[in-house]
């Protein structure tokens, strides 16, 4: 009854998921590995999965009889083909974000999955599995009354020189795009971007910070500050304002101290620490569904909607201050 | 050396300021009262200032030799004339908001004061005297680095039926308009209003909540949620995001309790309790400056700028989603 | 109707109370000053009360016809005689702590006041006027159910070399002694002191920190940590545990900031800042009652009970770990 | 490489550990079950471990060749015999608390394990695996300076009628006894119990609340309030005061909300929810060590010391207010 998993891409995240499956989670083992660098795949094999087979290509791995389910952790531009191959093979596939590099690519995956007639794809939007967001959603459903506004912030201490304005959408804000759709059970209808003066750490190709305003089909307005050079820490803030009250995303656990004339607790500085526990939960969820031949959690439809919204937000950056309409194609029944 | 004050208008706020001068503050006494209802003026005289003279009109009170300084607490439409008369008489005058009912009226006061050649007018923007905002300004100047964004909320549990959309600017948001100019030491250059779906308690003439976006000359973007039917309490929130970090307006003092499976503290529900201590401080400030024949604190220029900004925000409500430019006339040297 | 006050002792606290009466509070003025150094008295006269008379002695000041009420701010060993003289003269008197240097001395004041037949003495236990303790008492009366335990801490960053173990009671803990009697409306029946290992900053004559356990007539157990070399700040903590829940003394207002990988707010380091607002309130209360020829607030009985309890606590320090019984004399009807 | 585990006792905790091993944790499976009610064992087999063998007795299970390691989850009085049998069989054994019902019994286990020459026993003190305590220990080691005092509380909403005073030690406080030894890396030298008046929910055989004062070999004083009828929730509080500052055990994650004039978050009411995540971590730790033929985490020595301290605390309850000396036998080298 152990699910046999093949991992495509053995970089940082592929290695980490392999460790997770081998040493932390129940019900699965890694039986196959592949990477464009076979050395990298062999290193993970040696360290974590000595019984796994190293395949020459991802496509070969997907086709292998020994493989029940697939993890796609390779570079983003390769995702679409691997996911389509896995759907073709009828094997559940967990795909790290992005599902595809274009909305059109994501749409092809949706179409293939709908043609296959059942959910096979889970996208790696791990925030839905964070205990804080899960509790926040519970509060929104049960306590705040119907939501009307969301005030959010995505702050990061610093970014490298090659980080440019559109990456604030595709690499950073994409997490909010997915998690707010899920949190509010809603779809976006427009996007607007406002730029304050840029912070001192910005440069010619990066306007930082920025405020993205999304409106939803139900009339909710979501303001999110994106500030990737905020210096002080990696900090994800979210409050939902409803008919009856306000609920806040919890802060990460931290020891409060009285020390040196300060009442204080540490703020994380590395994004990798913020949602670390949710990776375990999302992958356990994948294992459980894959053992039954299907997939759950963030779907290829969610991945497609994220891609469509990202495109609108980048357009909104360029049209500074103007609202860009987001058209929502009809949702196939498979995703209801 | 006791400052002799005349109070015009003896309604709720006029009575309260009289009590304050008579029983709480040092260095002043109320020697004259007037109200369009002489009964009301006599009632305050009987209760709080038995030695004061009741004058038939505010103009007579202003002219009285016994009066060193004037408090204008009458209905808004009368403010301009009383303030102009006090300036004409060379007497320091404290004027409750609004300084005038139109920007033009406020401009006339500015012109008269400039002609008089010295500060004589203090406008009743009491938030500048709130210990929380004072501490926040200190943090902005000393700790956060130069400000880039402000996220604020002005929430009120419920409003009466006659409260309509523009009142959210003139009666509610006007406090933020003044206090943020002071907090940031900046001027506004544009206003935009975004409306989420209205809450259940809204009606045909009230769209509630709304989000006002102000941008400043220095490039700061200020988003303020105005939500006057938020149900849960009267709640003023403000966070300033700067180059180095974030500072928050403190919550009002409240006892934290563990009770009935909740860790909790009370939220105020009546706006009159929120800034109650700041009225003492603003009026003590007025007394101190008036004893020296001048005025300090929020000036008639600040009152004028608030009026100009209010007009732009109401225009922005009507132009839903579009930015309205705010033109800033040149500031007379008197107000530097 | 202005209360004419004489101030005996023009050191730090006498000067500060003079400033308060002259510049901050309503209804009183300082008309007389005295100090064992007439230079000191004249300096305060020059700076704050030019119309006041400087008297050669406190006794002369008390006797002066111009003086309605007396503030005793001189060195502790002189308090008893001045207070007795004021009672003898039938003049309301505010006495800084201690009321007397011995329980017997305090008892003599109680006896004199009882003989005078009315309240004339207010002792300077200002914590009862702190808005935090006032709110905490309200919560204890209305929310927590009947109190059963109190957990408290009195922490101070550092003390000078001459600070020795008994001073932790007489100079430091005496504030808790008074405020908990008032908070709980109860009397003490025993005291015990427990010493952990001493902190590095302790010395031969100072064992620091220590934990004082008081039990009350109603069966409440109060544990208070006294830690006068805690380094990090001046910090007063108190939680009351009752039948239904727990209530906490509020922290002083402070700006919360996100800065340098810390979510933080400042902790005070100087005791003078902690209860600064309560001095205004206690003295305004004195002025109001004195204008009617009497006194209110902490009574000479409270001062006497504080002295009795201090003595028991010092005895408990010496009897480390053993409970010392506190006998409560019968309370005269004047103090009910 | 999968560890084959036998579970003795299939009541609530045995069932839950079985679920954990089968569905949550990596590296192990349940291959054997036993219970004094074979029906109960078969039910767990049916629900969670269909491939497991149900054994007639725990001793038979321990002896089975198929079993690599043992979980003792049966009733407390049977623990000692099962643990001794597992040691005898050379099999790693995880034993729920108590290790034995008497200090002498725990000592016999220590002796047997020392004779066996290696760690084979882990005791189920799960708090050591709680992320909050782990972070607190890190703060104590790295930030607060050497500890001097601990202020703690163990509060529970209500207890059944059969809960009597000594159970506050053996069933409730035993967790603090173990976790503070570990947190401080210290041993206890005395215990004292102070009783405030009992709360309304107490009865003839239960004095509740109580305050236990432990002192350690290094001179730390630990005051713990035990209040098992506190009504408001299940609440574990701990603050450590050191040379340089204070660190607090974090509150459990909870959504903060503004609702109904309250700023609030939920407090847990069921003890089973408080440390639920730590069961996963402790058992994963057991699996990892057992796979190498040994044990880690809380040792039989820790279980023995907990038993010795419990006995002293119960004696201290009977000797209300007097300190009871705790003698610490020499620690065998195996446990250093």
């Amino acid at each position: 009854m152990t699910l046999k998993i093949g991992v495509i891409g053995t970089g940082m995240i592929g290695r980490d998921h392999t460790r997770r499956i081998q040493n932390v989670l129940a019900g699965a083992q890694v039986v196959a590995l592949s990477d464009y660098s076979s050395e990298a795949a062999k290193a993970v094999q040696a360290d974590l999965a000595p019984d796994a087979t190293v395949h020459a290509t991802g496509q070969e791995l997907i086709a292998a009889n020994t493989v029940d389910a697939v993890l796609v952790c390779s570079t983003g531009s390769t995702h679409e083909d691997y996911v389509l191959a896995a759907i073709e093979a009828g094997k559940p596939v967990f795909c790290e974000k992005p599902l595809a590099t274009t909305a059109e690519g994501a749409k092809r995956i949706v179409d293939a999955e709908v043609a296959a007639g059942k959910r096979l794809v889970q996208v790696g939007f791990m925030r839905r599995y964070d205990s804080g967001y899960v509790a926040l959603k519970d509060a929104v459903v049960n306590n705040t009354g119907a939501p009307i506004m969301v005030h959010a912030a995505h702050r990061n201490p610093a970014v490298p020189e090659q980080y440019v304005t559109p990456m604030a959408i595709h690499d950073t804000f994409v997490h909010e795009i997915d998690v707010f759709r899920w949190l509010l059970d809603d779809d976006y209808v427009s996007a607007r971007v406002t730029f304050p003066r840029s912070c001192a750490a910005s440069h010619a190709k990066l306007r930082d910070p920025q405020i993205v305003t999304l409106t939803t089909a139900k009339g909710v307005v979501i303001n999110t500050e994106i500030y990737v050079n905020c210096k002080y820490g990696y900090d994800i803030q979210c409050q939902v304002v409803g008919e009856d009250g306000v609920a806040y995303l919890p802060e990460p656990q931290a020891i409060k101290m009285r020390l040196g004339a300060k009442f204080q607790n540490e703020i994380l500085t590395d994004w990798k620490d913020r949602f670390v526990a949710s990776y375990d939960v999302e992958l356990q969820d994948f294992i459980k569904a894959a053992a039954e031949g299907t997939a759950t959690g963030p779907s290829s439809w969610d991945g497609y909607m994220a891609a469509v919204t990202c495109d609108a937000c980048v357009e909104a950056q360029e049209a500074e201050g103007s609202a860009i309409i987001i058209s929502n194609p009809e949702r196939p029944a498979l995703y209801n």
Side-chain angles (χ1 to χ4, degrees), chain A:
Chain A
M1 269 177 34
T2 297
L3 183 78
K4 285 169 282 173
I5 294 182
V7 177
I8 300 174
T10 58
M12 189 183 71
I13 183 69
R15 171 182 280 269
D16 201 42
H17 282 330
T18 301
R19 175 196 61 76
R20 196 162 269 125
I21 293 163
Q22 298 296 90
N23 300 345
V24 178
L25 304 177
Q29 67 180 114
V30 172
V31 299
L33 296 160
S34 80
D35 196 88
Y36 77 96
S37 152
S38 64
E39 292 310 301
K42 284 174 188 163
V44 171
Q45 177 197 42
D47 294 348
L48 292 164
D51 298 339
T53 303
V54 172
H55 289 271
T57 67
Q59 301 292 356
E60 181 187 305
L61 177 149
I62 292 166
N65 284 335
T66 51
V67 170
D68 297 330
V70 178
L71 258 59
V72 178
C73 307
S74 51
T75 193
S77 58
T78 65
H79 290 188
E80 181 184 343
D81 285 349
Y82 290 139
V83 172
L84 288 171
I87 293 171
E88 179 75 22
K91 295 185 180 181
V93 55
F94 175 95
C95 181
E96 278 302 326
K97 72 176 179 70
L99 179 59
T101 53
T102 62
E104 294 69 28
K107 180 62 165 53
R108 283 189 287 270
I109 291 172
V110 164
D111 290 345
E113 196 180 28
V114 167
K118 67 169 172 174
R119 288 270 321 260
L120 286 169
V121 181
Q122 177 179 345
V123 183
F125 288 126
M126 75 293 179
R127 284 201 195 176
R128 297 186 184 201
Y129 293 95
D130 171 65
S131 61
Y133 277 111
V134 169
L136 179 59
K137 183 163 184 173
D138 180 78
V140 169
V141 170
N142 294 303
N143 300 110
T144 62
I148 304 177
M149 291 168 287
V150 176
H151 307 304
H154 189 141
R155 299 183 188 134
N156 183 74
V159 289
E161 186 73 15
Q162 59 270 35
Y163 187 105
V164 295
T165 301
M167 292 171 71
I169 303 301
H170 283 297
D171 286 22
T172 301
F173 185 56
V174 63
H175 287 289
E176 272 80 15
I177 287 173
D178 180 68
V179 85
F180 294 156
R181 273 185 73 248
W182 164 85
L183 180 68
L184 302 172
D185 191 19
D186 208 343
D187 282 303
Y188 304 123
V189 297
S190 79
R192 185 199 311 269
V193 177
T194 309
F195 291 98
R197 74 170 176 82
S198 289
C199 66
S202 293
H203 52 76
K205 297 194 172 166
L206 174 61
R207 299 181 72 178
D208 178 51
Q210 56 196 281
I211 298 170
V212 183
T213 304
L214 291 171
T215 56
T216 75
K218 294 178 185 168
V220 177
V221 171
I222 303 165
N223 270 316
T224 304
E225 169 199 326
I226 305 171
Y227 189 4
V228 296
N229 285 293
C230 82
K231 286 189 183 173
Y232 77 78
Y234 184 77
D235 189 16
I236 302 300
Q237 298 281 330
C238 179
Q239 68 176 285
V240 180
V241 183
E243 288 276 348
D244 300 325
V246 182
Y248 297 81
L249 184 69
E251 305 270 326
Q253 180 181 281
I255 295 289
K256 293 192 176 168
M257 290 187 279
R258 297 178 190 272
L259 214 58
K262 296 269 189 299
F263 186 44
Q264 58 184 246
N265 59 267
E266 283 197 10
I267 296 174
L268 298 174
T269 52
D270 188 336
W271 63 268
K272 289 191 289 292
D273 298 330
R274 178 62 180 86
F275 294 104
V276 67
S278 61
Y279 293 104
D280 290 354
V281 188
E282 72 169 0
L283 221 50
Q284 190 72 70
D285 209 36
F286 175 73
I287 290 167
K288 196 175 162 203
E292 296 167 9
T294 184
T296 184
S299 68
S300 55
W301 180 256
D302 297 320
Y304 174 42
M305 286 296 92
V308 166
T309 308
C310 281
D311 288 351
C313 289
V314 171
E315 195 181 340
Q317 287 180 326
E318 288 157 6
E320 177 176 357
S322 297
I324 300 300
I325 301 303
I326 302 173
S327 59
N328 283 274
E330 200 174 348
R331 186 196 298 242
L334 181 61
Y335 304 107
N336 288 337

